């Protein structure tokens, strides 16, 4: 992709005016003609650029990207790794579509620091001024303490590089035994990828059920039965305590991985994959911006700093069931938040208040998880509140668990033995999702 070098200079800082409120100081140093900066060129970043242009912003948009490719979808990485999607399938937008946005994309240019007081962004390629900045840097796999002293770094799944590494490892015939640590959505996607390549797949999870953060026991249990029927091995209530790489010149990877589990058992594997959750990429942020697990934002994705916005896996926006601000890391939220942030920035730079019609309506956690033929769908809350109760219906094909708080539906799970696109499970999921939204608004 093209890179247009921008002037490597920062704005002049304001005259000494220390008694002023921080926001007044910021306003005085900002030059509205400076580019809008977008940090991160993923789903949220791309949609932020779209929102800016849709709202009529004609100025320069500087996009800072860690890589040199079009925005990719992490959702597709497991399908590519197993050979069930092409490399190209991982890129939702082609170069022509991106070119029409007239962006100045700074490839291989990770942001190292935002300096809010001087309205500047520091990167290895220089310092860039901004008028408004949209942080859309996503999240990264959480760290893995058990592997600290092992020369082998377990594989994770987030970037296209991760997907390529897993793809190549699974394509190796001598790779036969694969261990997946974790039992979340990403772990199940990894499990599906391994099963699809015909390898022996073992999943180890600390909890007594898979998908324990989103599934109620009866729905999880049905999903587990389907996964076991596909030949997977589940080691639950268990975890990796230690892992070592034993050199073996005859092995295609030059080593075997010896794993000690918390139940005392020791086993050997050819590959260890890890999915221990995601953490928002916030390391470069100015200390003055209010953050918890993500950047706290309002309904226009504005942070506590008037010129810094956030969208996607890095943003902690209102969640509709609890009414609290949460990071809800799913594709749809990233897209909607990105567009909302872009529109709001464009309006404010044009001297107007953001249009209430384009305010962010709030996040709703939802999952669509398959493991070959097995299907799990969920939305909303997944812990039972004090005045809550569960209602469960089971038939020969499907288990439905509804979570109520008083008479309000606040969450559900559907486990289905056969994934039929457009089938009964999807229809019911759509209906229950609408009901959660309606109940949340009353
Ligand atoms: C394996 C996997 C499967 C998933 N499956 C689903 C699914 O089925 N359905 C669903 O809804 N969601 C799914 N998700 C979640 C979904 O992919 C994310 O919620 C979504 O990608 C978030 O978009 P984003 O733009 O915030 O982050 P990303 O798409 O990750 O983009 C952020 C970009 O910012 C870049 N960046 C990071 N730091 C910097 C920096 N300092 N400077 C510049 N750039 C930076 C990153 O490299 C990245 O390119 C899945 C995620 C994974 C990992």
């Amino acid at each position: 992709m093209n890179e247009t070098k921008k002037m490597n200079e920062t704005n002049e800082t304001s005259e000494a005016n220390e008694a002023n409120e921080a926001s007044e100081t910021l306003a005085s140093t900002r030059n509205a003609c400076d580019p809008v900066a977008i940090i991160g060129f993923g789903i949220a970043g791309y949609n932020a650029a779209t929102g800016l242009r849709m709202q009529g912003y004609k100025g320069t948009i500087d996009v800072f990207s860690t890589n040199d490719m079009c925005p990719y979808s992490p959702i597709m990485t497991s399908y590519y790794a197993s050979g069930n999607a092409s490399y190209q399938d991982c890129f939702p937008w082609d170069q022509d579509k991106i070119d029409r946005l007239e962006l100045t994309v700074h490839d291989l240019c990770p942001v190292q620091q935002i300096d809010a007081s001087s309205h500047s962004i520091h990167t290895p390629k220089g310092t860039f001024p901004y008028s408004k900045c949209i942080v859309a840097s996503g999240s990264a796999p959480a760290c893995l303490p058990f592997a600290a002293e092992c020369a082998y770094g377990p594989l994770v799944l987030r970037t296209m590089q991760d997907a390529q590494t897993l793809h190549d490892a699974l394509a190796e015939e001598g790779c036969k035994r694969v261990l997946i640590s974790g039992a979340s959505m990403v772990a199940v996607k990894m499990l599906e990828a391994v099963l699809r390549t015909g390898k022996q797949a073992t999943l180890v999870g600390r909890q007594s059920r898979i998908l324990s953060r989103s599934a109620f026991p009866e729905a999880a249990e049905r999903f587990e039965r389907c996964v076991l029927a596909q030949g997977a091995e589940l080691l639950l209530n268990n975890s990796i305590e230690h892992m070592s790489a034993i050199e073996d010149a005859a092995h295609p990877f030059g080593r075997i991985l010896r794993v000690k589990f918390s139940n005392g058992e020791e086993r050997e594997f050819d590959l260890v994959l890890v999915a221990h959750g995601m953490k928002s990429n916030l390391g470069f942020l100015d200390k003055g911006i209010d953050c918890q697990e993500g950047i706290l934002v309002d309904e226009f994705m504005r942070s506590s700093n008037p010129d810094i916005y956030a969208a996607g896996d890095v943003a902690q926006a209102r969640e509709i069931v609890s009414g609290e601000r949460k990071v809800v890391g799913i594709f749809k939220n990233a897209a909607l938040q990105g567009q909302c942030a872009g529109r709001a920035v464009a309006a404010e730079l044009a001297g107007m208040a953001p249009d209430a019609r384009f305010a962010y309506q709030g996040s709703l956690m939802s999952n669509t998880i398959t493991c070959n033929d097995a299907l799990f769908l969920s939305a909303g809350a997944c812990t039972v509140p004090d005045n809550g109760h569960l209602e469960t219906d089971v038939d020969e094909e499907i288990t439905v668990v509804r979570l109520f708080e008083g008479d309000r539906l606040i969450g559900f799970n559907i486990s289905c033995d056969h994934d039929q696109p457009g089938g009964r499970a999807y229809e019911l999921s759509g209906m229950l999702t609408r009901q959660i939204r309606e109940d949340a608004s009353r």
Side-chain angles (χ1 to χ4, degrees):
M1 294 175 80
N2 291 336
E3 177 173 332
T4 310
K5 286 260 179 205
K6 304 295 302 173
M7 25 175 206
N8 278 4
E9 60 185 27
T10 58
N11 283 339
E12 281 180 8
T13 50
S14 61
E15 300 280 309
N17 193 2
E18 288 154 26
N20 278 354
E21 291 288 319
S23 60
E24 286 171 12
T25 308
L26 290 168
S28 66
T29 58
R30 175 164 68 80
N31 180 352
C33 297
D34 281 337
V36 171
I38 298 177
I39 300 177
F41 204 22
I43 292 148
Y46 173 83
N47 279 281
T50 309
L52 277 157
R53 294 300 187 216
M54 284 163 82
Q55 200 64 33
Y57 177 74
K58 295 202 165 32
T60 303
I61 303 175
D62 274 339
V63 180
F64 298 91
S65 178
T66 46
N67 52 60
D68 58 357
M69 45 183 86
C70 295
Y72 59 85
S73 167
I75 296 174
M76 295 303 294
T77 51
S78 64
Y79 302 104
Y80 171 62
S82 65
N84 288 91
S86 71
Y87 190 79
Q88 213 42 49
D89 288 339
C90 301
F91 297 87
W93 303 287
D94 62 24
Q95 189 65 58
D96 282 353
K97 206 160 183 193
I98 293 164
D99 287 347
R100 284 200 289 277
L101 290 170
E102 297 187 12
L103 308 175
T104 304
V105 180
H106 302 271
D107 288 335
L108 302 169
C109 192
V111 169
Q112 296 165 311
Q113 200 203 341
I114 300 179
D115 182 351
S117 61
S118 63
H119 278 74
S120 54
I121 286 174
H122 299 280
T123 79
K125 295 188 177 181
T127 298
F128 298 82
Y130 69 86
S131 54
K132 299 228 177 224
C133 173
I134 301 173
V135 181
S137 48
S139 55
C143 56
L144 331 157
F146 67 80
E149 71 279 30
C150 178
Y152 170 77
L155 303 191
V156 293
L157 199 51
R158 178 84 200 185
T159 65
M160 284 312 294
Q161 183 56 56
D162 299 333
Q164 191 63 53
T165 306
L166 183 55
H167 175 274
D168 295 347
L170 290 177
E172 177 57 64
E173 261 186 45
C175 170
K176 296 187 192 312
R177 304 157 298 177
V178 183
L179 176 66
I180 298 133
S181 176
S184 62
M185 181 251 289
V186 174
V188 172
K189 289 194 167 215
M190 287 172 158
L191 181 72
E192 183 186 44
V194 175
L195 287 168
R196 284 183 173 194
T197 54
K199 317 282 180 192
Q200 181 193 309
T202 303
L203 183 143
V204 57
R206 277 182 197 281
Q207 311 298 330
S208 57
R209 291 275 172 233
I210 59 172
L211 299 174
S212 61
R213 294 177 75 189
S214 47
F216 300 112
E218 278 179 282
E221 197 261 337
R222 181 164 208 148
F223 192 69
E224 276 168 24
R225 265 190 279 131
C226 296
V227 167
L228 289 169
Q230 293 170 26
E233 179 188 23
L234 299 181
L235 304 177
L236 298 171
N237 283 318
N238 207 343
S239 60
I240 299 178
E241 203 168 86
H242 187 262
M243 184 171 73
S244 47
I246 314 294
E247 272 185 44
D248 179 350
H251 192 279
F253 299 145
R255 49 92 196 119
I256 289 169
L257 297 169
R258 185 165 297 154
V259 173
K260 183 166 185 227
F261 292 103
S262 58
N263 68 358
E265 199 189 343
E266 279 197 41
R267 299 221 343 229
E268 289 181 350
F269 295 91
D270 302 306
L271 207 59
V272 174
L273 317 180
V274 162
H276 289 174
M278 297 286 165
K279 209 164 174 286
S280 300
N281 292 320
L282 298 168
F284 51 83
L285 266 197
D286 191 288
K287 294 276 177 285
I289 296 160
D290 291 348
C291 293
Q292 289 172 351
E293 47 170 340
I295 300 172
L296 291 161
V297 291
D298 69 8
E299 72 275 28
F300 293 108
M301 315 316 293
R302 294 177 290 208
S303 76
S304 57
N305 181 299
D307 293 327
I308 295 180
Y309 296 60
D313 281 13
V314 83
Q316 197 172 333
R318 191 179 72 87
E319 189 274 331
I320 63 166
V321 172
S322 63
E324 292 164 11
R325 289 190 278 182
K326 293 183 178 176
V327 174
V328 179
I330 59 174
F331 184 97
K332 187 175 171 191
N333 294 341
L336 293 174
Q337 292 177 1
Q339 203 172 104
C340 170
R343 281 185 179 277
V345 165
E348 290 194 355
L349 286 175
M352 296 182 295
D355 188 333
R357 285 177 305 159
F358 302 126
Y360 183 60
Q361 299 301 307
S363 303
L364 178 64
M365 186 63 205
S366 69
N367 280 299
T368 302
I369 301 171
T370 58
C371 188
N372 293 322
D373 205 21
L375 173 65
F376 173 82
L377 299 162
S378 73
C382 45
T383 45
V384 185
D386 287 346
N387 60 341
H389 70 279
L390 295 174
E391 290 180 9
T392 304
D393 294 304
V394 183
D395 67 25
E396 67 286 348
E397 188 194 32
I398 197 169
T399 295
V400 183
V401 184
R402 294 172 175 81
L403 171 58
F404 291 90
E405 184 176 35
D407 65 348
R408 284 191 327 146
L409 182 71
I410 60 168
F412 72 84
N413 284 182
I414 299 173
S415 269
C416 185
D417 299 348
H418 302 292
D419 177 17
Q420 285 172 331
R424 184 158 70 102
Y426 288 98
E427 217 172 278
L428 185 57
S429 167
M431 202 183 80
L432 294 176
T433 303
R434 281 192 292 281
Q435 193 183 335
I436 293 175
R437 288 188 184 281
E438 280 167 25
D439 288 358
S441 64
R442 54 179 168 99

